[in-house]
Amino acid sequence: MDWIIGMQKAIDYIEDNLTESIDYEKIAAQSFSSSYHFQRVFSILCGFTLGEYIRNRRLSLAGTELAASDAKIMDIALKYGYESPDSFAKAFQKFHGVLPSQARSNGGTLRSFSRLVLKLSLEGGSTMNYRIEETPGMILTGYKCHFSGVPGEREEQEKDMYIHTRPLQYILQGLSGRLDLNYDVIANIDDDGYDFYIAYLLPEFYRNNLHKPGVLGEAFAGYYENITIPKQRYAVFETERCTYPTTVSLGLRRRVIAEWLPASGYQLANAPEIVVTHWYRGDNSKNRYRELWIPIEKQK
């Protein structure tokens, strides 16, 4: 119950300060958590980042105010944090689909983005197997794309990354010697986006000689980099065994954050999140599963 109250207090603080400069540390303080932890939990539970929520709420209110008042467009732009008419017009059109001036014309359709209100509902009552692991640190090798928005919610983008970069993946897969195992790494998460890596655990020779001539070939070597996973405590959760575990891992991730984390005594740590996929083939394809490695630390 405490985390629900804290989250609602944070949302109320945002709503009370939408026309002011909002400090993320002060938002997180309402829920007695760190800024990083609050932003990660918020994005996983809500499906959009904290910045997207604040921006959408401001633009929604700005649209309502433009349609219902005679206030100058520039005054409304300044009120909701835009310092120039051009930046406001660009953001307004992207959100509403019309220019600010058109919001006052007959038939100008506006979008509404409602405030969040948390409601207590009975959930859980089911088992969730997990283990706590202290990793000594490891080095993976992979290639990355940078995505905007919420990690894990950009499934189509990540699917496109797999499809359009298959040769890069197959080379790493062959060098690793493990056709049934690969790693997704989510790192450098902030309010603007995150880095998403497709990675493998390579033998030391290949890992240490990535960019030397003749090792991977000049056409491919420049795409790869070594990713250092620091010493870290992880909570590890496994999906059910099925042919396509990628379709169920997002639901498990939300359950971990909504059900397990609040009662665990842990909070999310600022470290890479890892998904280990076990791609069994042939007769064993129905036994495929994913491990979600969620970085954690003791609540402060």
Side-chain angles (χ1 to χ4, degrees):
M1 177 69 79
D2 288 345
W3 75 272
I4 295 177
I5 294 172
M7 182 72 78
Q8 188 61 63
K9 285 180 63 180
I11 292 169
D12 291 342
Y13 177 84
I14 293 170
E15 293 293 330
D16 290 341
N17 291 275
L18 283 173
T19 59
E20 308 293 334
S21 176
I22 298 180
D23 186 331
Y24 283 13
E25 292 288 348
K26 291 183 179 179
I27 296 174
Q30 307 303 309
S31 63
F32 304 102
S33 63
S34 69
S35 177
Y36 180 86
H37 175 76
F38 179 82
Q39 289 183 68
R40 294 285 289 114
V41 169
F42 183 94
S43 65
I44 292 171
L45 292 179
C46 298
F48 40 78
T49 68
L50 182 58
E52 287 174 326
Y53 177 75
I54 294 171
R55 182 168 57 253
N56 290 345
R57 284 292 294 141
R58 283 172 168 167
L59 289 168
S60 180
L61 293 175
T64 300
E65 199 162 330
L66 272 173
S69 75
D70 295 325
K72 294 180 180 179
I73 291 176
M74 189 60 214
D75 290 341
I76 293 176
L78 290 171
K79 179 178 179 179
Y80 290 103
Y82 292 88
E83 296 183 355
S84 73
D86 287 343
S87 62
F88 178 63
K90 184 177 180 181
F92 192 93
Q93 185 173 33
K94 183 177 180 180
F95 179 78
H96 289 285
V98 296
L99 291 169
S101 58
Q102 295 173 309
R104 285 180 167 152
S105 62
N106 291 330
T109 302
L110 298 174
R111 285 182 65 197
S112 175
F113 188 86
S114 59
R115 69 176 291 167
L116 283 171
V117 178
L118 296 183
K119 295 182 179 180
L120 179 63
S121 62
L122 290 176
E123 294 182 351
S126 58
T127 59
M128 190 182 299
N129 297 327
Y130 70 94
R131 66 184 188 271
I132 304 295
E133 289 208 13
E134 299 273 356
T135 62
M138 61 179 173
I139 300 175
L140 298 171
T141 303
Y143 56 96
K144 73 176 180 182
C145 279
H146 185 80
F147 295 116
S148 61
V150 178
E153 301 296 336
R154 302 298 188 260
E155 189 174 357
E156 288 304 314
Q157 286 179 308
E158 290 164 8
K159 187 186 297 181
D160 287 344
M161 183 180 175
Y162 275 100
I163 291 171
H164 296 306
T165 59
R166 285 296 190 194
L168 296 176
Q169 183 185 1
Y170 290 155
I171 289 172
L172 290 180
Q173 190 178 66
L175 293 176
S176 73
R178 293 295 303 271
L179 302 182
D180 62 336
L181 187 71
N182 79 277
Y183 299 80
D184 294 346
V185 181
I186 299 169
N188 303 319
I189 303 167
D190 58 29
D191 207 44
D192 294 323
Y194 61 99
D195 290 334
F196 179 81
Y197 295 84
I198 296 173
Y200 288 81
L201 188 61
L202 297 190
E204 186 176 357
F205 171 79
Y206 294 116
R207 191 175 69 235
N208 292 340
N209 295 278
L210 269 182
H211 301 117
K212 289 186 178 179
V215 176
L216 292 179
E218 293 182 8
F220 297 101
Y223 289 99
Y224 299 122
E225 60 183 284
N226 289 326
I227 309 133
T228 300
I229 308 297
K231 181 180 180 181
Q232 175 63 46
R233 179 179 294 173
Y234 282 90
V236 184
F237 299 81
E238 296 182 5
T239 67
E240 62 190 76
R241 268 57 173 173
C242 58
T243 305
Y244 298 107
T246 52
T247 62
V248 297
S249 58
L250 281 182
L252 175 60
R253 190 161 167 265
R254 291 193 190 97
R255 283 188 60 206
V256 168
I257 300 306
E259 299 175 26
W260 179 83
L261 189 64
S264 68
Y266 293 105
Q267 65 179 19
L268 295 176
N270 190 356
E273 184 177 328
I274 305 168
V275 180
V276 185
T277 306
H278 297 262
W279 284 112
Y280 299 126
R281 300 173 186 275
D283 294 339
N284 289 323
S285 62
K286 293 182 179 180
N287 293 320
R288 295 169 178 168
Y289 69 99
R290 302 187 104 186
E291 294 177 345
L292 309 186
W293 289 62
I294 309 296
I296 56 173
E297 61 187 6
K298 283 291 186 179
Q299 288 181 353
K300 299 176 182 178

